[in-house]
Amino acid sequence: MDTPPAARPLPSLTRPDGTPVRVLVVDDEPDLLEVLAGVLHYEGWEVRTAADGASALTAARDFQPDAVVLDIMLPDFDGLSVLRGLRDRQPGICVLFLTARDAVEDRIAGLTAGGDDYVTKPFSLEEVLARLRGLLRRAGMTRQRPEGALLTVGDLVMDEEAREVTRDGQTVELSPTEFELLRYLLRNPRRVLSKAQILDHVWSYDFGGRAHIVELYISYLRKKIDAGRPPMIHTVRGAGYVLKPGTP
């Protein structure tokens, strides 16, 4: 793992109300916890740490973090179980997995369980910060939205300011990454978007050309947006995806 860079820091991110972002770091390696906490404090964020799953869930309940840096391997139970507990209490929380595993299947397992992103050990601290900043931006931590900013396609409506989505008047709960993916689709209705375009606009960094990330999140949206209703998200074979009003 690299040491913190000496270069000038980027402008600190805050919550929309100007208060510091809250991050919970969960790992059973004391040295790693100390280094990560120090770097995040340097960003101007409030940080708490936990060394196992049970204390992580307790800390999350008390601290109400905006983001969690979560080791997938913990001494009492695995990070996937912790993630499920976090999502039950805070559906919109940003979760960045730390994993020593290299297998694509393990990474997909973390994303499938509800994680928003991952980094593989050993990692650079700059990478962790970049991933966290990206997740927090996608979760709306750093910008104000105009009053009444609504994106509407058919009976699907997104309130960008309130970060609320409804279809046919029914609320749809989305993770930060799902929200940003749907927003990109809503801003480009009836336009075929390639997987490369989606990766660039939603994840905003190189994902190594792994198109399965896009496929995975499109499947999440379909389950939440299209289930039991006329489909709105369509696959254009060999080209990408398009969002258009559902027709009975």
Side-chain angles (χ1 to χ4, degrees), residues 128-145:
V128 172
L129 285 173
R131 301 289 180 96
L132 277 175
R133 292 174 74 95
L135 289 178
L136 290 165
R137 285 192 181 98
R138 297 204 292 273
M141 289 295 168
T142 60
R143 55 189 177 195
Q144 300 291 334
R145 294 170 183 78

Side-chain angles (χ1 to χ4, degrees), residues 29-85:
E29 299 179 40
D31 291 342
L32 180 58
L33 274 183
E34 182 179 355
V35 171
L36 280 173
V39 169
L40 299 179
H41 276 303
Y42 183 68
E43 285 288 299
W45 299 344
E46 290 185 25
V47 184
R48 286 195 186 177
T49 61
D52 56 50
S55 57
L57 292 174
T58 299
R61 182 192 62 211
D62 298 338
F63 186 46
Q64 293 292 297
D66 304 298
V68 179
V69 181
L70 178 61
D71 189 9
I72 204 166
M73 298 294 291
L74 295 170
D76 50 356
F77 42 88
D78 63 53
L80 301 183
S81 299
V82 176
L83 174 60
R84 286 188 284 270

Side-chain angles (χ1 to χ4, degrees), residues 82-188:
V82 176
L83 174 60
R84 286 188 284 270
L86 293 170
R87 285 279 188 235
D88 287 344
R89 294 173 179 172
Q90 292 178 256
I93 196 171
C94 301
V95 178
L96 175 67
F97 270 122
L98 303 179
T99 174
R101 302 176 180 180
D102 294 327
V104 171
E105 293 79 7
D106 291 323
R107 300 177 187 183
I108 292 177
L111 295 175
T112 302
D116 295 295
D117 203 351
Y118 62 83
V119 291
T120 304
K121 297 179 181 180
F123 52 78
S124 73
L125 295 172
E126 286 179 308
E127 181 183 16
V128 172
L129 285 173
R131 301 289 180 96
L132 277 175
R133 292 174 74 95
L135 289 178
L136 290 165
R137 285 192 181 98
R138 297 204 292 273
M141 289 295 168
T142 60
R143 55 189 177 195
Q144 300 291 334
R145 294 170 183 78
E147 291 292 333
L150 298 179
L151 297 173
T152 303
V153 175
D155 60 358
L156 181 62
V157 180
M158 172 180 285
D159 185 329
E160 294 188 275
E161 181 187 26
R163 299 191 66 79
E164 294 177 348
V165 175
T166 62
R167 182 161 185 198
D168 193 24
Q170 297 185 352
T171 300
V172 180
E173 296 288 347
L174 299 177
S175 72
T177 301
E178 291 166 350
F179 185 92
E180 189 64 23
L181 173 56
L182 182 60
R183 172 158 54 184
Y184 184 49
L185 295 173
L186 282 166
R187 286 179 173 176
N188 295 275

Side-chain angles (χ1 to χ4, degrees), residues 214-230:
V214 176
E215 296 166 3
L216 186 67
Y217 273 88
I218 287 291
S219 72
Y220 291 166
L221 281 184
R222 281 178 167 149
K223 290 176 182 176
K224 294 183 177 183
I225 299 298
D226 289 345
R229 305 181 179 101

